[in-house]
Amino acid sequence: MSAPASEGPVEGQLEGVVGRVLFENRESGWTIFHLQPETGARVTIVGPLARVFPGESLQVSGRWESDPKYGRQFRASVARSVVPESEAGTRRYLASGVVPGIGPELARRLVERFGADTLRVLDEEPDRLLEVKGIGRKRLAEIKKAWVTRSAERQGRIFLQGHGLGPALTERILRAWGEDAIRRVRREPYDLVAEVRGIGFRTADGLALRMGIAVDAPERIRAGILHVLRVAADGGDCYVPREQLVRGAQRALELDQPGLVEKSIAALAGGPALVIEGDDPEGRSRVYLRRLHAAERRVARRLAGLVAATEESPDAERTSRALRQVESRLEVDLASAQQDAVLRALVGRVLVVTGGPGTGKTTLIDALVRCARMLGQRVALAAPTGRAAKRMEQATGHPASTLHRLLEYRYDTGFGRGSDNPIEADLLVVDEMSMVDLPLMDAFLAAVPTGARLLLVGDADQLPPVGPGAVLRDLIASERLPTVRLREIYRQAGESLIVTNAHRVNAGKMPISAPGGESVRGRESGDGGGKEDFYIIEQQDAERARSIVLRLVTERIPQRFGLDPMRDIQVLTPMHRGSAGVANLNAVLQDALNPGATAAKPDAPILRPGDRVMQLRNDYDREVFNGDIGSVVATEEEAVSVEFDGRLVGYDRSSLRDLTLAYAISIHKSQGSEYPAVVVVLLPEHRIMLQRNLLYTALTRAKKVAVLVTTSQALRRAVENAAPSSRFTTLAERIGSALQG
């Protein structure tokens, strides 16, 4: 089948020999290569087809399409290897490198000896290869091993794709399970969820059902239960009430047999997967993933141990004198609560400090670090994100790092610091504690050395962490850990309508807009008392709201406040999808702020030199971290260079998935960061996400100006909706129990 004359997409199938492989991404499976059919012109094939070899015979299914940059090509969705039948085809196939150890010359000799029967000989009588000149026992063993591996891979691909899996997932399974893939998939299909990235319960369950597993099979029910618990953990819960777990598993499994689910929960509780414990406040038992249950217990026990320790404290008079000297050097008079916090942090073992914007948390940390160093203490500063750590370092002049870096985390080996290799410090200060989830807190406390003092600082009213738990909230709710609440707003911060409105929102009151300022605000929404750093624009229609955001970023805010739209202004929105979601806002902002032809191939993000981008995961090899924002410096055929805070970082094709455009980001992704200006979009289409701590977190990201594009109804719902922040955790109760013992 040759390329049709029509320019529209046409479904079809091609068969031919693989020529040159132009591009191959082993991680995503995206491949571009030439295919030579038996008759007709050479065809360019693109698609997520995993690995192909020059000389290999393939049958590909897909459709013809016209790409504006690459022209007419065949976008394949499925490719199946076809065993060559002719001598010429067999020689090309073996010469392609498909079998390590067999090159063009040896392929020629093999086919000369065995003809079209060569592949059968390799399969069934491999020892006959000794009949070929140049093959001895050692080389035979190497070829046999390579052929078995290649045959297993080929059979695995046929098996997996025959059961409905796409090429990319097939490649991941084969890479993870190798020659054992078929056996393990048949016997343990649900293990794919835990062991192969990108495969969730739905995919594994569909595969299992297609292979004939019964809908009420015990292994399927167990997998459904664990799926519900993992989804709950991803949403922030440390446990699920048993009744809720039963209902959730029934929905996931589409199985109306609660008795079978109950029986499987009880069976799992006797193993390593989960734990059933006690009763929650409404009289229902709690079901935990065992790892989260153990983490809660360890965190409570370690905190209780720190609080109860009786290590010698620095001399009270000496610490007071150091504090007075620091105040003098900084030319500040700390509020009484700040002074109390500094002194308690220097002489106690654990202290929690919480407070909203403008209450002096950063000043407190700076004063504490200076006092501790004056007293000869070793200080370690850390935060969950790179940007938050950098702010600590700039504020104190003392090195700070991410918690993962402080704990010397590596993807392949885990945390390098722990109880047997603790952090070398006398005072440890962690900022932005609202972002710290339970597993990270567990790892951190394991590495706190005996005798060290611990200060935990954060705003408990911000969004909880992305991971399971609500650690800062629970530490305070336990009412058993020494805690200082900063409530006094500094005079300079009090002059900011951003700070005023953040506290109003936190108290359940509607924010007010600065008067006047038509070039930014549009229509007056209140009386800001002469303050001009917070504006509200009311707009019901999402398309018009998007246009308003575009004008704010490209014209109004830069003109009014002298800010750089590429560097200083951050658009925040609750959701990724929708007319006013992250994806659509990024598209219009990129085209307006950085127009130009795309430089990336079809499977990669559309990145252009100058684009603002965000790192999506911690990458310890490149030393860039989740939430770091940089600027694209250059794009090449197979690579992109990005500048992060003056440091150039290179990305190859396989790592580009870790980058995304960042003209607009989600409010969750903005945690731990601050920007000169933020534009926050809250519309009726974001209804399911509208809640008080989300809005509060967004407002506290702005340093100089904040603009809300919203409706009165959406804004009121966000301000009044404080309920969604609740999570199923028991850390507060465990801390209380541990300190009673």
Side-chain angles (χ1 to χ4, degrees), residues 260-566:
L260 288 179
V261 176
E262 285 276 11
K263 184 178 179 180
S264 290
I265 291 173
L268 281 167
L274 59 82
V275 174
I276 301 175
E277 184 186 77
D279 292 322
D280 67 12
E282 297 183 15
R284 297 167 298 184
S285 56
R286 301 181 293 267
V287 185
Y288 298 78
L289 290 170
R290 187 173 291 275
R291 62 181 177 84
L292 296 179
H293 181 262
E296 272 199 347
R297 295 181 66 186
R298 283 192 298 265
V299 168
R301 186 175 65 251
R302 286 167 176 157
L303 285 170
L306 286 170
V307 171
T310 56
E311 299 289 335
E312 183 179 348
S313 298
D315 179 77
E317 176 54 35
R318 189 180 172 208
T319 56
S320 297
R321 186 166 58 250
L323 178 56
R324 290 194 296 270
Q325 291 175 0
V326 166
E327 286 184 293
S328 176
R329 290 179 185 180
L330 293 176
E331 297 182 348
V332 298
D333 292 320
L334 297 179
S336 59
Q338 291 175 307
Q339 292 178 352
D340 179 46
V342 170
L343 294 174
R344 292 173 71 178
L346 289 170
V347 301
R349 294 300 307 280
V350 180
L351 181 67
V352 178
V353 172
T354 186
T359 56
K361 297 189 297 295
T362 301
T363 302
L364 185 157
I365 293 172
D366 185 20
L368 174 63
V369 169
R370 291 171 185 267
C371 286
R373 295 177 66 182
M374 192 177 295
L375 294 169
Q377 296 182 10
R378 298 169 301 169
V379 178
L381 304 181
T385 68
R387 293 176 71 87
K390 184 178 180 180
R391 287 205 315 275
M392 289 183 79
E393 188 166 316
Q394 291 172 339
T396 63
H398 188 81
S401 70
T402 64
L403 277 166
H404 280 82
R405 182 176 292 173
L406 179 68
L407 297 172
E408 298 178 6
Y409 178 83
R410 290 184 58 85
Y411 180 77
D412 52 347
T413 58
F415 293 102
R417 294 283 182 175
S419 57
D420 56 347
N421 183 29
I423 302 163
E424 297 174 0
D426 303 306
L427 173 67
L428 295 102
V429 181
V430 181
D431 197 9
E432 296 288 353
M433 273 295 300
S434 63
M435 299 178 66
V436 176
D437 64 18
L438 178 68
L440 183 55
M441 187 65 172
D442 183 29
F444 171 64
L445 289 177
V448 173
T450 302
R453 306 182 192 285
L454 187 58
L455 176 67
L456 307 173
V457 183
D459 186 346
D461 295 314
Q462 290 187 21
L463 287 169
V466 174
V471 172
L472 179 59
R473 184 202 69 182
D474 287 348
L475 299 186
I476 296 169
S478 74
E479 298 184 346
R480 299 303 304 272
L481 298 176
T483 301
V484 173
R485 291 175 173 81
L486 301 179
R487 294 187 173 92
E488 181 179 343
I489 300 175
Y490 274 73
R491 183 183 62 81
Q492 185 176 357
E495 295 173 355
S496 165
L497 199 54
I498 297 172
V499 172
T500 299
N501 278 329
H503 286 277
R504 286 181 63 87
V505 166
N506 201 30
K509 299 177 182 178
M510 292 285 281
I512 54 178
S513 177
E518 293 296 328
S519 63
V520 176
R521 183 184 50 79
R523 185 165 69 84
E524 185 170 312
S525 276
D527 181 7
K531 304 170 186 177
E532 297 185 351
D533 61 356
F534 189 99
Y535 302 89
I536 299 174
I537 301 175
E538 292 196 37
Q539 178 53 247
Q540 181 78 27
D541 182 76
E543 297 292 336
R544 292 180 181 176
R546 202 167 61 194
S547 298
I548 290 170
V549 169
L550 185 61
R551 290 188 62 194
L552 285 167
V553 173
T554 59
E555 301 174 19
R556 295 181 176 184
I557 294 176
Q559 291 170 4
R560 175 72 177 272
F561 296 96
L563 297 175
D564 182 342
M566 292 291 284

Side-chain angles (χ1 to χ4, degrees), residues 210-252:
R210 286 192 294 274
M211 290 191 303
I213 191 172
V215 294
D216 59 354
E219 60 267 37
R220 179 172 185 260
I221 298 174
R222 289 195 296 268
I225 291 165
L226 293 175
H227 164 67
V228 174
L229 286 169
R230 288 169 182 147
V231 169
D234 289 342
D237 292 323
C238 293
Y239 73 88
V240 177
R242 186 165 182 162
E243 292 177 5
Q244 184 172 314
L245 176 59
V246 172
R247 292 194 300 270
Q250 286 184 264
R251 286 194 299 270

Side-chain angles (χ1 to χ4, degrees), residues 549-559 561-571 589-590 592-594 610-612 629 662-664 675-679:
V549 169
L550 185 61
R551 290 188 62 194
L552 285 167
V553 173
T554 59
E555 301 174 19
R556 295 181 176 184
I557 294 176
Q559 291 170 4
F561 296 96
L563 297 175
D564 182 342
M566 292 291 284
R567 185 182 64 245
D568 299 330
I569 305 172
Q570 183 62 63
V571 177
L589 288 166
Q590 182 193 38
L593 294 170
N594 193 30
D611 270 337
R612 185 176 185 172
I629 289 181
Y663 300 100
Y675 313 93
V678 299
V679 177

Side-chain angles (χ1 to χ4, degrees), residues 184 203 296 367 574 594 625 643 724:
R184 289 200 63 185
T203 300
E296 272 199 347
N594 193 30
F625 302 94
E643 181 182 347

